[in-house]
Amino acid sequence: MTIHFRDLSWLGFNLRVLEEAADPRVPLYERLKFLSIFSSNLDEFFRVRYPGVVALGALSNKTLKAIKVNEKNIVEKVQDEINTQLNFFGSILNEGILPALKNEEIIFYYNVPIRDEHKNEIRELFLSYVLSYIQPIYLDGKTEKGFLPVNNYLYFVITLQESGAGTLRQAIVNIPSEKLERFFTLTPLDGFEYVIFLDDIIRENLVHLFPGLDVLSVYSIKINRDAELYLTEEFSGNLLHKLEKQLRKRDIGAPSRFLYEKGMPVNLQRFLAAAFDITTEDMFAGGRYHNLRDLAKFPTFNKLAVYPKRKPLSSAKLINSGDIFNILLREDLLLHVPYQSYNPVLSFFNQAAVDGDVTDIFITLYRVAEESHIINALISAAKNGKNVTVFIELKARFDEANNIKWSRIMKNAGVKIIYSLPDIKVHSKIALIRKKTTTQKQLFGILSTGNFNEITAQLYTDHVLMTADPDITKELLQLFNFLNSGKTPGKDSNLKFSNLLVAQFNMVEELEKLINMETEKAKRGERALIRIKVNNLEEPHFIGLLYKASQAGVKVELLVRSICSLVPGVEGESENIVVRRIVDRYLEHSRILCFGTDESAEVLIGSADLMTRNLRRRIEVYVRIKNEACKKELLDYFKIQWQDNDKAVLLTPDLQQLRITAGAAPSVNAQQSIYNYLESKG
């Protein structure tokens, strides 16, 4: 079975992000933001994935083959691809965006001399605003020993010489971009606005930091540190305290990349490697400026072009009713964010908090907004006497601190908090409300492909099913009761799900059945079709099942945003499989699984990508869409995305990405077309 190395596939996705930054059709400010996203993604790659790449590279070919990694010289291939992309990044910025900014009468001081007219202004900024945040440190033992650069912080390494004595000294100066703005606007000159890096304000004024010393050289550096939290079942005691301890360690974890400004002498590189306990394999030459994710904060001057605003669509029946629960008693609601407003989800929790008939609220939280309306509604509900149970995942990478903060606030307000088990992440996005009526207790549920986060709901494409269907909500209650028990899922569990596919219980088996049903249809000569939209596809077993389906004659259409380890279009193995990727203004995040053709297709939405970790080491949930109108919307949604010939690319067997061009056909931008489609439905 042929499988792509997952990290090379992921780097292909980041290249696709970079291509949006290069596209002159994209508004200029948005191109800067795509450069920012690329830079942020690459930092995360070095923190999360690269240490594993290096570890794999050290394994024998026999071992790699056994775990279905067919790449040789893994580390070299990854490094070559990253270097190619970084060169592309530089050309986009220098040859595309900087001239385009100049056309807008904005000069960005980027690797260019600073005009004399600005030097006094820069000195004043440094002395009055920046200097108090600077802490120079000598690396020769005279001032401080044991200095370790903090993850992702920016520094200058400076070579100094004592006047007259000729003695050389090395010093570190922090660039406090985590506390101050990264970009400063200067006085306009000759009709042009000017923007300067914080870095260059400091560079220009180093003489004030080292009186009596000559500055011989200045090079920028930064370190990425391994970000994985190694939580295992050996952890005992309070998981919350363990996580806090891990978080304190994270920023001084093992270095995974030491980035230094190109041109740094080899002897200085070796000195720093020894000082910071870094191997030469982890040292990478870069540009003058690091952490270019900060380009997302570049000043706009209110004249840089941005994407035209799309007002989230609202449903007249929701606005006119005002009671979300009465609507759900009549029909299911399916939201497609960010095209449609997230307000119904907020109303669901806000109304539950004050409704005198609501007795219980259950919810799983993975990533929440820093100032979460939903959590504030849960707190209000608890203070109003509701039984509120929150299952919060403390191991949500890079969101652990925010989740810990909110868990404590909720607990103090009377919310029952359940922390996850050390060896299993709860990644499902589900909620349930129990409401008493005169005759019975009524359940209302939410099942989402995305987090309960009103901020990312404006930026990520997701689907949210809101329902009072008793078959679905009873299974949700069963799952919440299990989570409340604190038990670890096991084969002896007596939980039975049919409307829900729950990882650790029935998800793997049910997905196998759905794929195999299409395979059997094809073998009988019937039309067979599998359509899947996910963020990542890398689980070997399911890739094998899709290969078998293709070989039987099943047409397989895959929309995979980032990692795709499946190799499409291989004769005799995957010739009936087509894989496409879409990168546009919104991050494609939704997961849709469709098995079958026309109205008879079975359609599911859920939280799980087709990855080993999601299917086998997490609690994930897919829901079968029973409502015919909702099902049709999802099938139409997939069809529109499949027709995209503007932002879609075709993935080839050798990891290339071919643009899908319109030719004689009308141009279709899926994200705009989906908005138009939903707007037309009213």
Side-chain angles (χ1 to χ4, degrees), residues 88-147:
F88 187 27
F89 182 104
S91 68
I92 294 168
L93 190 54
N94 288 297
E95 299 166 23
I97 290 179
L98 292 178
L101 287 171
K102 190 173 182 180
N103 289 340
E104 297 294 330
E105 300 178 323
I106 298 169
I107 302 294
F108 183 17
Y109 280 131
Y110 189 90
N111 276 333
V112 293
I114 294 166
R115 292 180 60 165
D116 290 339
E117 297 95 318
H118 281 139
K119 291 192 175 178
N120 286 341
E121 182 179 0
I122 290 168
R123 183 176 65 245
E124 183 180 359
L125 278 170
F126 178 79
L127 294 175
S128 63
Y129 191 67
V130 177
L131 182 55
S132 61
Y133 293 92
I134 305 293
Q135 297 95 32
I137 294 171
Y138 289 97
L139 294 179
D140 54 13
K142 292 182 180 179
T143 304
E144 183 167 333
K145 294 181 179 180
F147 168 74

Side-chain angles (χ1 to χ4, degrees), residues 80-91:
D80 286 347
E81 178 60 28
I82 290 171
N83 288 334
T84 299
Q85 292 183 16
L86 287 173
N87 289 333
F88 187 27
F89 182 104
S91 68

Side-chain angles (χ1 to χ4, degrees), residues 503-566:
Q504 309 296 316
F505 294 95
N506 68 332
M507 182 178 287
V508 169
E509 294 77 12
E510 290 300 314
L511 291 179
E512 286 176 347
K513 286 180 187 176
L514 289 165
I515 295 173
N516 289 336
M517 282 173 60
E518 293 305 301
T519 303
E520 292 304 314
K521 283 165 59 177
K523 288 179 179 179
R524 295 194 298 268
E526 301 173 20
R527 284 181 63 209
L529 176 62
I530 295 173
R531 288 162 286 181
I532 294 175
K533 180 180 188 292
V534 288
N535 301 321
N536 301 294
L537 169 59
E538 62 89 38
E539 209 279 343
H541 176 62
F542 280 93
I543 289 175
L545 290 177
L546 292 173
Y547 283 164
K548 288 179 181 177
S550 169
Q551 292 156 22
V554 180
K555 184 179 179 182
V556 181
E557 298 175 351
L558 303 176
L559 288 165
V560 184
R561 185 194 76 203
S562 43
I563 296 168
C564 183
S565 295
L566 179 148

Side-chain angles (χ1 to χ4, degrees), residues 224-338:
N224 290 124
R225 296 188 181 277
D226 188 349
E228 280 290 2
L229 292 179
Y230 298 104
L231 300 172
T232 69
E233 57 191 2
E234 286 136 26
F235 274 61
S236 59
N238 189 313
L239 176 61
L240 181 60
H241 291 157
K242 294 286 188 184
L243 270 164
E244 286 181 314
K245 186 176 180 181
Q246 288 289 89
L247 281 171
R248 287 194 295 271
K249 289 180 179 179
R250 167 173 285 179
D251 282 339
I252 55 170
S256 56
R257 176 174 66 158
F258 180 87
L259 194 59
Y260 61 90
E261 184 177 340
K262 195 177 296 182
M264 179 184 287
V266 174
N267 63 332
L268 182 54
Q269 294 176 38
R270 289 172 179 164
F271 172 81
L272 295 173
F276 302 144
D277 194 23
I278 298 165
T279 65
T280 55
E281 290 80 8
D282 291 329
M283 300 185 76
F284 296 83
R288 181 183 177 97
Y289 308 101
H290 310 312
N291 279 5
L292 290 180
R293 66 174 187 269
D294 291 337
L295 287 170
K297 302 171 186 175
F298 192 85
T300 67
F301 301 99
N302 295 320
K303 63 180 180 180
L304 290 184
V306 299
Y307 284 126
K309 287 189 176 180
R310 288 183 188 143
K311 183 180 179 182
L313 301 168
S314 298
S315 168
K317 61 188 173 187
L318 290 172
I319 295 172
N320 295 335
S321 169
D323 188 332
I324 191 75
F325 302 119
N326 278 339
I327 294 173
L328 293 178
L329 288 173
R330 296 194 300 270
E331 60 183 316
D332 288 352
L333 293 178
L334 180 65
L335 304 178
H336 310 278
V337 297

Side-chain angles (χ1 to χ4, degrees), residues 376-628:
N376 279 305
L378 298 174
I379 290 170
S380 295
K383 290 182 176 179
N384 290 335
K386 321 294 184 191
N387 299 312
V388 182
T389 303
V390 174
F391 195 104
I392 191 161
E393 180 50 75
L394 297 179
K395 301 186 293 297
R397 184 186 290 132
F398 303 133
D399 279 84
E400 301 91 349
N402 190 45
N403 287 0
I404 289 170
K405 176 197 80 171
W406 276 120
S407 69
R408 288 197 163 133
I409 293 171
M410 287 188 286
K411 193 171 185 178
N412 290 337
V415 174
K416 181 179 179 181
I417 301 294
I418 302 174
Y419 301 118
S420 55
L421 298 170
D423 54 344
I424 295 177
K425 278 188 180 182
V426 176
H427 188 250
S428 57
K429 292 84 169 65
I430 53 175
L432 188 69
I433 285 173
R434 183 155 47 194
K435 186 175 179 181
K436 64 185 179 184
T437 67
T438 54
T439 57
Q440 62 178 350
K441 290 183 178 178
Q442 178 70 50
L443 298 172
F444 301 87
I446 294 183
L447 303 101
S448 177
T449 66
N451 295 299
F452 290 108
N453 186 318
E454 61 269 25
I455 302 303
T456 55
Q458 301 172 46
L459 307 169
Y460 297 1
T461 68
D462 276 304
H463 309 291
V464 184
L465 178 68
M466 307 175 73
T467 183
D469 185 308
D471 295 332
I472 294 173
T473 56
K474 285 177 183 176
E475 290 187 14
L476 272 178
L477 180 60
Q478 184 180 213
L479 178 56
F480 274 113
N481 286 337
F482 175 81
L483 293 175
N484 196 23
S485 72
K487 295 179 181 177
T488 301
K491 296 194 181 212
D492 57 344
S493 172
N494 58 2
L495 269 66
K496 302 297 180 187
F497 298 102
S498 57
N499 294 281
L500 303 184
L501 277 61
V502 184
Q504 309 296 316
F505 294 95
N506 68 332
M507 182 178 287
V508 169
E509 294 77 12
E510 290 300 314
L511 291 179
E512 286 176 347
K513 286 180 187 176
L514 289 165
I515 295 173
N516 289 336
M517 282 173 60
E518 293 305 301
T519 303
E520 292 304 314
K521 283 165 59 177
K523 288 179 179 179
R524 295 194 298 268
E526 301 173 20
R527 284 181 63 209
L529 176 62
I530 295 173
R531 288 162 286 181
I532 294 175
K533 180 180 188 292
V534 288
N535 301 321
N536 301 294
L537 169 59
E538 62 89 38
E539 209 279 343
H541 176 62
F542 280 93
I543 289 175
L545 290 177
L546 292 173
Y547 283 164
K548 288 179 181 177
S550 169
Q551 292 156 22
V554 180
K555 184 179 179 182
V556 181
E557 298 175 351
L558 303 176
L559 288 165
V560 184
R561 185 194 76 203
S562 43
I563 296 168
C564 183
S565 295
L566 179 148
V567 183
V570 177
E571 186 176 352
E573 187 168 53
S574 58
E575 65 265 37
N576 289 314
I577 302 177
V578 178
V579 184
R580 295 179 180 178
R581 168 182 287 146
I582 295 174
V583 174
D584 201 353
R585 65 184 289 180
Y586 303 134
L587 179 72
E588 293 292 339
H589 190 257
S590 61
R591 292 116 173 158
I592 310 172
L593 309 180
C594 311
F595 301 92
T597 59
D598 306 322
E599 304 82 28
S600 62
E602 179 144 16
V603 179
L604 305 92
I605 61 171
S607 60
D609 285 318
L610 297 182
M611 304 181 75
T612 302
R613 71 186 188 198
N614 298 83
L615 298 174
R616 304 187 187 279
R617 293 197 290 272
R618 292 184 175 184
I619 300 289
E620 305 269 12
V621 175
Y622 270 97
V623 58
R624 300 180 197 267
I625 302 299
K626 298 169 63 180
N627 181 286
E628 291 300 322

